[in-house]
Amino acid sequence: MPFLTDFLYLYGSITNLIIINCLLALSAYVNFSSGQFSVAAPGFMAIGAYTASLLTLNAQWPFVAVLAAAVLLAAVVALLFGLPILKLQGVYLAMATLGFVEVIQNLAINLQLTGGAMGLMGIPVKTQTWHLALTLAVFVYLLWVMGQSRLGAGLRAIRQDWQLARVLGVHLHRYNVIAFVISAAMAGLAGALAAHTNNAVVPGDFGFTLVIAVLSFSIVGGVERLWGPLLGALLLSILPEVARPLQEYRLIFTGLLLLVVILFLRRGLAGLVEDSWRSLK
Amino acid sequence: MLTQQLLNALVLGCMYALFALGLALVFGVLDILNLAHASVYMSSAMLAVWMVRALEVPLAAAVPLAIVAGALIGVGINQIAFAPFLRRGLSGQAIHMPSLISSLALALVLEGINRGLFGIQVQRFPPDLFPDLVFSIADAQISLLQLTVIVVTALLIATIGWMLQRTRLGRAIRAVAENPRAATRMGIPVQSIVVKTFFIASALGAVSGIFMGLTYNSVHVLMGSTVELKGFAVIILGGMGSLAGAVVASFILAVSEVLAVAYVSSHFRDMIAFGLLIVVLLVRPQGLFGRKAA
């Protein structure tokens, strides 16, 4: 497939970036679609990235084992942190998860183990684009299956009306924790894969900027449909590349986009597309 | 030595307290966190530096102008990010997420504007703006600037407290904070009160930013982000409905930070706020003086 290989040669790194952003967007989707205002994804991505990098660099584990370890550690941390913290809701949960991201980032910057502010370098590039694409496909399938399942129905119910859901027998806390752990595992895997794409892992990548980016994917894309955050991730990853001359206005543009969407397009672009489609029929 | 540390903590606490008070006022009245509050803090400091350096305005004039500018920016933030949702009649939980996002969006826009206008370099006030007087108290030293910060903060807190308890405006603000619908029925112009609250709250944020910029002689586009998270930690620790709690918690945070840096390690200074935030949310979500349960 010469076209594909040429394309990937030229645009490989941006394709990787887009897919990684899509993975993160899906991780956040699990939270938002169940009404959890959690912004913890960058923190779990960091955990996954550092775990994977350290195991590759210091213990020379095979790639698959490294990925598995990253997912596992992220899930365990999510379980331990999630059990107490998911008793909170709304703004309080948002702040707690924001605090979590900051704590993780701070630890990454300050611990010797994680290479301090410079991070870890010299990580062999093991991730191929097809790995990322496969993971994305697996995530989408997983989430689709989850959506059809009892867990998915329960999470949807929680998002729409948690009090009613509880009355109808949905075990709120358990479902919330499960969603949180799944989302963390996804973010951890994304982080592990990303770490092996770029040779280096830097703590600065896992802070407030990434929190805003992941949030933007979901807001702009819309969280009612599975493909909403994907659309958001795709758009917001491509835009800076396509609109290179406007680099300096990137922040302003992102802010304005978010503002417009939240004020006028509550269901995001996915909602807009759906509505247009419906009115065309 | 300890006295000096405590003195530094007092000054730091004053600046945190002003910031947190602004955040708490808006939260008290609207039940929303204003994620653009730190942008006002930063923008005012940037404006003050710019006026002093580029326009050669004397500090005594630049500061009030920057404060007013910050307050107006705050009102603008309300008009764009919060008022549209209030007008649609959303209230309570329904208003939280969209307005959080819209204030976050505005924070990004403001950061972008500041970046574009002033660049990403650290800006500094010209030296010797404040007379270089230092006083000795016990075995510690305090500069005129630090003294000014403490005195102004005390005055501002006292004035706000008096205003809330003894004036019509204050009563109106408290009424809206308690129950906007009932306040409307009592004839209180809620929209107008909200605007005035934002003006006052943002002015406080502006003062905090300018003081911080003067004290550490460092003003830059990202200076808002650390203080913002500390602000959240503080109002959660103090209790989200409580103004007094915000003030008290600010000093607790400042003392903890200064002592940790002095006696443990400076590395984990910022983590104290975040750690505190998480612990309080887990153990006592309503904070020290909170009136709302999480």
Side-chain angles (χ1 to χ4, degrees), chain B:
Chain B
M1 179 59 174
L2 181 63
T3 327
Q4 184 68 61
Q5 298 298 345
L6 288 178
L7 205 61
N8 294 342
L10 182 61
V11 175
L12 187 61
C14 284
M15 297 187 283
Y16 284 166
L18 289 175
F19 183 83
L21 202 52
L23 210 53
L25 259 176
V26 167
F27 185 82
V29 165
L30 282 186
D31 266 337
I32 314 172
L33 272 186
N34 177 8
L35 290 179
H37 190 56
S39 307
V40 168
Y41 165 95
M42 178 265 291
S43 303
S44 312
M46 300 285 276
L47 278 171
V49 171
W50 174 70
M51 280 193 270
V52 169
R53 287 208 91 104
L55 300 184
E56 294 185 12
V57 174
L59 191 66
V63 168
L65 284 172
I67 294 175
V68 171
L72 291 174
I73 294 177
V75 170
I77 290 172
N78 174 48
Q79 294 307 112
I80 302 176
F82 299 111
F85 296 108
L86 283 166
R87 251 182 273 127
R88 292 178 200 173
L90 300 169
S91 62
Q93 280 289 335
I95 208 179
H96 279 171
M97 186 162 151
S99 53
L100 274 175
I101 306 291
S102 56
S103 61
L104 181 64
L106 270 184
L108 291 178
V109 172
L110 282 169
E111 184 187 324
I113 294 178
N114 271 286
R115 214 181 253 239
L117 287 176
F118 304 120
I120 55 174
Q121 307 289 58
V122 174
Q123 320 257 350
R124 301 190 196 281
F125 285 100
D128 299 330
L129 275 183
F130 250 82
D132 205 6
L133 290 171
V134 174
F135 307 95
S136 290
I137 300 183
D139 56 332
Q141 298 202 309
I142 183 171
S143 70
L144 182 61
L145 176 58
Q146 289 177 309
L147 203 55
T148 313
V149 169
I150 297 176
V151 168
V152 169
T153 304
L155 282 174
L156 280 174
I157 294 179
T159 312
I160 303 269
W162 169 82
M163 184 269 289
L164 284 173
Q165 293 296 331
R166 301 275 183 193
T167 66
R168 270 185 80 190
L169 175 63
R171 272 198 294 278
I173 292 179
R174 281 187 292 132
V176 172
E178 198 166 312
N179 192 330
R181 284 215 190 103
T184 317
R185 284 190 210 117
M186 303 278 283
I188 295 176
V190 172
Q191 296 261 34
S192 153
I193 294 294
V194 168
V195 168
K196 288 178 185 149
T197 309
F198 261 92
F199 188 89
I200 298 171
S202 306
L204 289 171
V207 174
S208 175
I210 296 172
F211 274 163
M212 195 70 91
L214 279 169
T215 306
Y216 294 102
N217 205 9
S218 157
V219 170
H220 63 99
V221 194
L222 296 176
M223 67 189 280
S225 51
T226 13
V227 85
E228 173 166 55
L229 292 166
K230 292 181 189 182
F232 295 159
V234 159
I235 58 172
I236 292 213
L237 175 58
M240 272 176 100
S242 165
L243 297 180
V247 173
V248 169
S250 301
F251 288 104
I252 295 180
L253 178 66
V255 169
S256 316
E257 280 190 4
V258 167
L259 290 180
V261 169
Y263 297 115
V264 181
S265 148
S266 62
H267 280 232
F268 300 98
R269 174 191 171 156
D270 290 337
M271 268 188 31
I272 293 180
F274 314 135
L276 208 58
L277 173 66
I278 296 180
V279 166
V280 172
L281 281 173
L282 287 177
V283 169
R284 197 189 153 92
Q286 70 270 35
L288 291 172
F289 303 108
R291 57 181 169 92
K292 292 187 199 296

Side-chain angles (χ1 to χ4, degrees), chain A residues 136-211:
Chain A
L136 183 60
V138 168
F139 278 8
V140 169
Y141 179 68
L142 200 72
L143 287 184
W144 183 77
V145 165
M146 216 173 92
Q148 314 282 81
S149 75
R150 202 161 155 202
L151 173 65
L155 292 175
R156 265 196 304 278
I158 294 176
R159 181 177 133 245
Q160 281 165 13
D161 191 332
W162 62 269
Q163 283 160 320
L164 184 57
R166 187 206 267 158
V167 164
L168 291 176
V170 176
H171 195 291
L172 289 182
H173 194 235
R174 188 187 302 159
Y175 276 44
N176 273 325
V177 171
I178 294 176
F180 193 68
V181 170
I182 291 177
S183 128
M186 290 167 74
L189 184 55
L193 287 168
H196 292 269
T197 321
N198 290 329
N199 277 130
V201 170
V202 174
D205 287 341
F206 303 110
F208 198 53
T209 315
L210 188 57
V211 167

